[in-house]
Amino acid sequence: MGEMHLVAFKKNTMNSLVTYNVIPKLPPALESLRELAYNMWWSWEPTARRLFRELDVALWEETNHNPVRLLQLCRQSRLVEMSQDEGYLEELQRVITTFHNYLSRKDTYASKHSPCTIAYFSAEYGLHESFPNYSGGLGILSGDHCKSASDLGLDFTAVGLLYRDGYFKQQINLHGWQEAKELNQVFHYLPITEVKIDDEPLRITIPMPGRLVIARVWKLALGRINIYLLDTTIPENTPADQKISASLYGGNNELRIKQEIILGMGGVRLLKALGINPQVFHMNEGHSAFLSLERIRDLVRNQENGLDFSAAFQVVAASNVFTTHTPVPAGNDAFSEELMKNYFAQYPQEVGISWNHFMHLGEMESDPKTLFSMTVLALKTSRFANGVSKLHGAVSRGLWKDLWKDIPIDEVPITSITNGVHAKTWAAGEFHKLYEQYLGNNWEDRQSDLEFWRGVIDIPDDVLWELHQVLKERTIEFTRERLRLQRIRNGEPPDAIREVSHTLDKDILTIGFARRFATYKRGALLFSDPERLERLLTNKDHPVQFIFAGKAHPADEEGKKIIQQVYLYSRDPRFKNRIIFVEDYDINVGRKLYQGCDLWLNNPLRPYEASGTSGMKLPLNGGINLSVLDGWWLESYNGKNGWAIGSDILEGTEEDQNEVDIASLFSLLENQIVPLYYAKPDGKLPLAWIQSMRESMRTVVPLFNTHRMVQEYYVSLYEPAARGYAFMERDHFKAAQELSLWKNKMISVWPQIQVLNYRIIHPIDHHDFFVGEKVDVEASIHLGSIEPVDVHVQAYFGGLEKNKVLHPHVEEMHVEAIVAEGVFRYVTRIPAAESGAYGLNIRVIPKHPYLLQSHELKLIRWG
């Protein structure tokens, strides 16, 4: 007997067992299940998910709806049995045919537009509960963005990090306190494959102080696109460097800067290694902004380009798109100069700039030498930037206006594209069928067509209501089961466990609230008036019930206290069985609540909800929104499709907003919402409520979906960025070099410009103007050595209020005469369109045919 066998027979060696796995062998007839399992198209296709569920319902739930793990654990006998089931095999063939048709479809949205190659960077991706690589709204948005990019046929590659511990699994203990449990994922259980080149695993090396960090690469197929994820948990790295990709949003600032170097700079190196040459780089939030530094370094290092830092900067900025999601300065990553010096000491020398110039890339103009902001870096290195709702765009322009000093706030170059959700992911499978029956089989392609969605009026009242009730009952059963397991784990007495069966009731108005428990989201606002709440919940004839869910960041003690407050109220005898807190909020919990709640409550402190997307998922399933007028709801609310808490206010203290919103919330519930829900004129159906359901579906679904959103990105940002890159790259980057030289010259000579004088030429017989007349304006401008062709001289005018110009207009002025050397007289005519007091000023800004933004140089001279 060999030595290895002798070791196995030594006494007391049970703890030294060698482990191994045995997985079932898929019968040939079921082999296509493996193909489906390794493309997450199944995550938004109900028929595909049903195929996996039918193999083993209990195992499907146990694996958290993970097809890969299901196929690894399924009994061989069951697979053999299903391989001989003709009905199952026919359904499998139908699904695989649908899948292949999806992959090969040619008549996509992108096929009808200018082609452009897009790289999308995000720190997290929320695709499905079985792939916990996300924490909340940002990740869900990234996942839905990618799904629509696939559906629309975009040439789109996503880049991120793969986290061994994911975010965290939430448990609520007996005292209502959130406990964070690490996931420690086994990548072998996930629908990912390690990327290899010439049969060798691909390795990406990223310089860190005194060493190289190595990342392996995983590929996740998502319909027609791929997501590539970098992972440092490999033996080639030190234990400390292996932890870089261990957890999402964990650790201190030093871990965060390392993660963001891997994501941004490592991501650029990854695309290069794969031979992918994007024309557009989209940074979803500032976490990946270091990609700009890597792109600039690449261009400068390539001596064939002949580019210096300034010219390379023009190329990179022309093709960068940046989306900001955070409406508060504290939510944006920023690093100290000491930390930046530790990680980027050599960078300035490599690209030929000074250390001060480098730090300036991440500093606010008005407050230098503080912190290096990733958002500032992203804004400075992108010609295309947007917020995620109209209100958030305005808030962002105000938040970052100091980067464009003296530029009118309305002209700060941050636009907005309002978020959406991926309709097929969040609509229950039963609603897919309903839409196909009453709207048409092409409902997915026409989901952004307002006229098409008028078809919901054809859905009969009883059909819509009964389907919603089925989903509601499913939600209640799910919630009870989660609550039962939680109480068993916490060792609660048998009576408390039996009591779970009596929580919630499908015939009671059910209101959901689920989100990240940050303080500004005011998760406990409802409990500000417990007595009034008790009357609402325990009304004999018209009761109400609430389901809460959500996580607080592990370091957010205040957020955890709010969760505890909600939990303790849920155990208060006064609210018995009427308030539930569901632990471990994730995509699965969210989906159940979105599909089964009657009403969705959202009450953040204005204007801190950049957009919000949870409420967009309710109308897909017949639900209605009750929200403050913040984020997306400000754009959607029309007085008939839901309810608005409080009023559209942005001023006042937090206490003032709380007071107004509490009063409004209870008044709406007591006087409008509850009576409407229980009003059944025929004794069976709440007809007016059902009408509100239809109005919610008709107005929200076609506007707030990611197909509309991604199409807007494509037309407004991606195509212009791709054109910008192509223009800068042409003729060995000739335009970039010319623009760089011109910009440097303009910066040096700009102080010469002066508006010497300007005036309105009044009529001879009176001082005022009549509506419909033209107002002649002239100005004398000292340009010095600057040619008129290099500047715009503009009349800036509009209605006057408190010495400020409101709703300004700009009229271009032209040279009428040369007054003296370097001095020109400019004239124009502006309309007197409406009566009132008006204000006028003259301004000069740079002008060049290669500029992608009017205020790219941030230079302006006012009269």
Side-chain angles (χ1 to χ4, degrees), residues 267-546:
V268 171
R269 292 177 177 221
L270 160 64
L271 293 171
K272 195 174 180 181
L274 293 173
I276 298 171
N277 300 301
Q279 298 159 297
V280 179
F281 284 76
H282 184 176
M283 295 173 275
N284 191 43
E285 196 54 286
H287 308 114
S288 59
F290 288 142
L291 70 81
S292 298
L293 303 182
E294 182 68 15
R295 293 187 64 203
I296 290 169
R297 180 163 56 187
D298 266 358
L299 288 166
V300 172
R301 276 181 170 175
N302 188 338
Q303 294 182 353
E304 291 181 10
N305 297 333
L307 298 181
D308 62 6
F309 176 87
S310 180
F313 188 99
Q314 310 312 318
V315 180
V316 169
S319 52
N320 273 358
V321 173
F322 170 57
T323 300
T324 176
H325 293 259
T326 312
V328 290
N332 297 273
D333 286 345
F335 304 112
S336 68
E337 183 169 5
E338 181 184 5
L339 200 54
M340 290 300 293
K341 195 163 277 186
N342 191 27
Y343 285 88
F344 290 95
Q346 304 305 315
Y347 183 85
Q349 185 179 350
E350 291 172 343
V351 297
I353 60 174
S354 69
W355 177 256
N356 285 343
H357 187 173
F358 172 73
M359 283 299 294
H360 180 68
L361 294 172
E363 292 172 342
M364 292 291 286
E365 314 290 328
S366 59
D367 190 21
K369 300 300 177 193
T370 51
L371 295 172
F372 188 99
S373 164
M374 296 296 282
T375 300
V376 171
L377 174 64
L379 287 169
K380 286 185 176 181
T381 58
S382 302
R383 296 289 172 249
F384 305 94
N386 70 287
V388 289
S389 70
K390 288 179 182 176
L391 176 59
H392 180 236
V395 169
S396 297
R397 287 190 288 275
L399 190 62
W400 303 108
K401 66 181 185 299
D402 286 351
L403 288 174
W404 290 269
K405 191 180 179 184
D406 295 331
I407 306 299
I409 191 169
D410 290 343
E411 296 181 31
V412 168
I414 301 175
T415 184
S416 65
I417 295 179
T418 303
N419 282 346
V421 297
H422 188 255
K424 286 197 78 172
T425 291
W426 300 106
E430 292 85 349
F431 265 91
H432 288 215
K433 292 180 180 177
L434 187 76
Y435 294 147
E436 288 170 3
Q437 182 177 353
Y438 290 98
L439 277 74
N441 289 328
N442 61 341
W443 76 271
E444 183 189 357
D445 288 339
R446 297 190 63 185
Q447 64 185 265
S448 301
D449 184 341
L450 280 163
E451 191 61 37
F452 178 76
W453 283 91
R454 292 183 187 276
V456 297
I457 64 173
D458 296 329
I459 304 174
D461 291 341
D462 58 335
V463 171
L464 182 57
W465 183 251
E466 286 169 16
L467 175 53
H468 177 66
Q469 290 300 97
V470 167
L471 295 176
K472 185 175 177 180
E473 194 164 4
R474 183 193 299 169
T475 294
I476 288 172
E477 284 304 316
F478 169 83
T479 305
R480 287 173 178 168
E481 182 59 23
R482 277 295 183 98
L483 198 58
R484 184 179 292 111
L485 293 173
Q486 178 187 338
R487 292 186 178 181
I488 291 171
R489 187 194 69 244
N490 285 336
E492 297 199 38
D495 285 351
I497 295 168
R498 283 193 292 270
E499 183 185 75
V500 170
S501 300
H502 304 291
T503 59
L504 306 178
D505 185 325
K506 71 178 179 64
D507 295 321
I508 293 178
L509 172 62
T510 304
I511 302 175
F513 180 101
R515 55 192 31 85
R516 184 166 55 92
F517 268 71
T519 51
Y520 78 86
K521 292 180 183 283
R522 300 190 296 184
L525 185 69
L526 185 70
F527 305 103
S528 302
D529 192 340
E531 289 73 24
R532 201 170 177 183
L533 178 60
E534 182 182 3
R535 291 195 298 272
L536 194 68
L537 299 181
T538 59
N539 184 292
K540 186 178 179 182
D541 298 317
H542 300 151
V544 178
Q545 59 194 12
F546 288 86

Side-chain angles (χ1 to χ4, degrees), residues 112-162:
K112 303 173 180 67
H113 289 77
S114 304
C116 61
T117 305
I118 303 142
Y120 180 87
F121 284 65
S122 183
E124 50 175 305
Y125 291 92
L127 303 168
H128 187 261
E129 60 267 21
S130 64
F131 196 87
N133 216 53
Y134 63 97
S135 74
L138 178 70
I140 303 298
L141 187 279
S142 299
D144 283 9
H145 191 123
C146 290
K147 290 173 184 178
S148 281
S150 168
D151 290 341
L152 297 169
L154 272 59
D155 184 358
F156 189 97
T157 301
V159 177
L161 301 179
L162 183 61

Side-chain angles (χ1 to χ4, degrees), residues 1 20 34 56-57 68 85 95 132 135 140 147 226 295 300 310 325 351 385 420 490 522 588 618 643 669 696 709 757:
M1 187 177 290
Y20 59 97
R34 193 187 315 277
D56 190 323
V57 175
V68 172
D85 184 318
V95 171
S135 74
I140 303 298
K147 290 173 184 178
N226 293 320
R295 293 187 64 203
V300 172
S310 180
H325 293 259
V351 297
N490 285 336
R522 300 190 296 184
N588 185 35
L618 273 289
W643 290 271
L669 287 168
S696 175
M709 182 192 84
N757 57 65

Side-chain angles (χ1 to χ4, degrees), residues 813-826:
M813 303 185 75
H814 60 273
V815 175
E816 184 187 53
I818 301 174
V819 178
E821 187 177 351
V823 179
F824 301 84
R825 182 186 302 122
Y826 280 80

Side-chain angles (χ1 to χ4, degrees), residues 493-688:
D495 285 351
I497 295 168
R498 283 193 292 270
E499 183 185 75
V500 170
S501 300
H502 304 291
T503 59
L504 306 178
D505 185 325
K506 71 178 179 64
D507 295 321
I508 293 178
L509 172 62
T510 304
I511 302 175
F513 180 101
R515 55 192 31 85
R516 184 166 55 92
F517 268 71
T519 51
Y520 78 86
K521 292 180 183 283
R522 300 190 296 184
L525 185 69
L526 185 70
F527 305 103
S528 302
D529 192 340
E531 289 73 24
R532 201 170 177 183
L533 178 60
E534 182 182 3
R535 291 195 298 272
L536 194 68
L537 299 181
T538 59
N539 184 292
K540 186 178 179 182
D541 298 317
H542 300 151
V544 178
Q545 59 194 12
F546 288 86
I547 305 175
F548 285 84
K551 292 178 177 178
H553 188 280
D556 184 0
E557 296 303 310
E558 293 304 311
K560 286 188 272 190
K561 286 177 185 176
I562 296 173
I563 289 177
Q564 185 179 44
Q565 188 179 353
V566 174
Y567 174 83
L568 293 176
Y569 272 111
S570 77
R571 304 307 296 267
D572 189 317
R574 293 176 295 172
F575 310 133
K576 195 173 184 180
N577 302 331
R578 292 286 182 265
I579 296 176
I580 301 300
F581 188 94
V582 184
E583 69 179 4
D584 201 24
Y585 177 47
D586 66 355
I587 288 177
N588 185 35
V589 172
R591 188 170 54 238
K592 289 292 194 300
L593 299 190
Y594 307 141
Q595 293 177 359
C597 287
D598 300 304
L599 189 69
W600 197 250
L601 175 62
N602 183 43
N603 47 230
L605 195 66
R606 304 172 194 79
Y608 299 131
E609 185 85 297
S611 171
T613 57
S614 61
M616 300 174 186
K617 297 158 189 168
L618 273 289
L620 283 160
N621 302 284
I624 307 174
N625 278 274
L626 167 62
S627 174
V628 301
L629 289 166
D630 198 9
W632 77 280
W633 188 237
L634 181 62
E635 298 171 44
S636 179
Y637 174 64
N638 68 4
K640 296 182 290 184
N641 60 356
W643 290 271
I645 299 169
S647 57
D648 180 14
I649 55 173
L650 294 175
E651 298 176 353
T653 65
E654 184 174 337
E655 291 72 23
D656 292 338
Q657 279 204 37
N658 287 342
E659 190 175 332
V660 168
D661 291 344
I662 291 162
S664 174
L665 173 57
F666 278 103
S667 177
L668 286 169
L669 287 168
E670 293 163 347
N671 301 316
Q672 295 185 37
I673 296 169
V674 173
L676 191 74
Y677 182 83
Y678 286 103
K680 299 179 179 178
D682 65 352
K684 297 178 182 177
L685 300 174
L687 299 179

